[in-house]
Amino acid sequence: MKSGVMNGKTQDNWTWKELAALLLLEFGFIIGVIKFVVAPMYTKWLGNELYSGTLMGLTIAIVLLLGVYFIALRPQKLSWREVGLRSFPAKDWWRIVGWTLLYLVGSVVIMELTVHLVGNSYDNRKTEAMQQNVTLLAVSISFIAAAIISPIYEEIFYRGFLYRWLRNRLGIGWGIFLSSLIFTIVHIPTYNAMPVNFLCGVVTAWAYERTDSIWPAVIIHGAVNAIAVLLTSLS
């Protein structure tokens, strides 16, 4: 197989075994153990929701990337290029700007609609923790976590592996929908942001599909997260 060309004909070397193992890692260990057992320990240890949340995010990133490596890549002697870590042509930058604006404007529209229709709120535990501790250190930590760490590991797993696996077996439409749905579900209990999370999954999966690189998705995801952090710190 010639890896790295997403042209509708290229398949991957993975089976249901890799998918099941990584979903079990995500829903079993990361959500079941890290989010509900380890995270409270971090909070008690650090005494700060923002810092403990950042440490939890870093822990999840390490566990999930190790999972991708040892479950999906190393056993078949595959490189990280197999999950989209490859360069993209300079001509795609204009697309990245357009997709970022689409995601940004779409997020605002979705939040406003849900605020007025179902009483949604812009605030959640993450934003409240940040607003209670608006210092240069706190904003810097939040920026690094939201704009760099989260986009890299989430895009590698949810788009580079999960979307590609689903796409090659169910088609582009189902691949985008199901990978975005799973991406949304794992963000529970941040319920107010779940519609925006779904939009993020759709836009970034499409960016990966069109550029054959995970980096445009990381840039889009990171840019919108960075704007959200800055706006939260100023509010």
Side-chain angles (χ1 to χ4, degrees), residues 42 47 72 100 109 114 126 227 234:
Y42 284 167
T100 302
V109 171
T114 56
K126 292 181 180 178
I227 293 171
L234 295 173

Side-chain angles (χ1 to χ4, degrees), residues 88 90-105 203 207 211 215-217 219-221 223-224 227:
F88 60 92
K91 64 181 178 62
D92 284 332
W93 273 105
W94 70 269
R95 291 177 173 177
I96 294 173
V97 173
W99 290 325
T100 302
L101 291 175
L102 174 64
Y103 177 25
L104 185 60
V105 173
V203 173
T211 64
W215 291 117
I219 293 168
I220 295 165
H221 194 161
V224 176
I227 293 171

Side-chain angles (χ1 to χ4, degrees), residues 136-175:
L136 180 60
L137 176 61
V139 174
S140 299
I141 290 175
S142 297
F143 187 91
I144 293 172
I148 300 175
I149 296 175
S150 291
I152 289 177
Y153 85 82
E154 288 180 344
E155 294 308 319
I156 288 175
F157 178 73
Y158 292 103
R159 262 58 74 177
F161 172 77
L162 184 60
Y163 165 69
R164 184 179 178 194
W165 195 101
L166 294 167
R167 182 250 196 216
N168 282 340
R169 291 158 181 81
L170 303 176
I172 295 174
W174 279 110

Side-chain angles (χ1 to χ4, degrees), residues 103-228:
Y103 177 25
L104 185 60
V105 173
S107 298
V108 174
V109 171
I110 289 173
M111 288 302 297
E112 284 296 319
L113 285 175
T114 56
V115 165
H116 289 92
L117 293 177
V118 297
N120 196 6
S121 171
Y122 278 90
D123 294 326
N124 53 50
R125 289 179 61 187
K126 292 181 180 178
T127 58
E128 291 171 357
M130 185 175 175
Q131 290 169 344
Q132 292 171 2
N133 189 21
V134 183
T135 64
L136 180 60
L137 176 61
V139 174
S140 299
I141 290 175
S142 297
F143 187 91
I144 293 172
I148 300 175
I149 296 175
S150 291
I152 289 177
Y153 85 82
E154 288 180 344
E155 294 308 319
I156 288 175
F157 178 73
Y158 292 103
R159 262 58 74 177
F161 172 77
L162 184 60
Y163 165 69
R164 184 179 178 194
W165 195 101
L166 294 167
R167 182 250 196 216
N168 282 340
R169 291 158 181 81
L170 303 176
I172 295 174
W174 279 110
I176 291 177
F177 175 76
L178 291 175
S179 63
S180 300
L181 181 62
I182 294 172
F183 178 67
T184 302
I185 291 172
V186 299
H187 281 83
I188 292 173
T190 314
Y191 297 103
N192 69 316
M194 288 175 69
V196 173
N197 292 329
F198 186 83
L199 177 63
C200 174
V202 171
V203 173
T204 52
W206 183 246
Y208 179 37
E209 174 68 31
R210 292 304 303 269
T211 64
D212 191 30
S213 170
I214 212 66
W215 291 117
V218 171
I219 293 168
I220 295 165
H221 194 161
V224 176
N225 279 8
I227 293 171

Side-chain angles (χ1 to χ4, degrees), residues 9 39 44 60 64 115 127 133 154 231:
K9 297 178 181 178
K44 184 177 181 180
I60 293 173
L64 203 53
V115 165
T127 58
N133 189 21
E154 288 180 344
L231 290 177

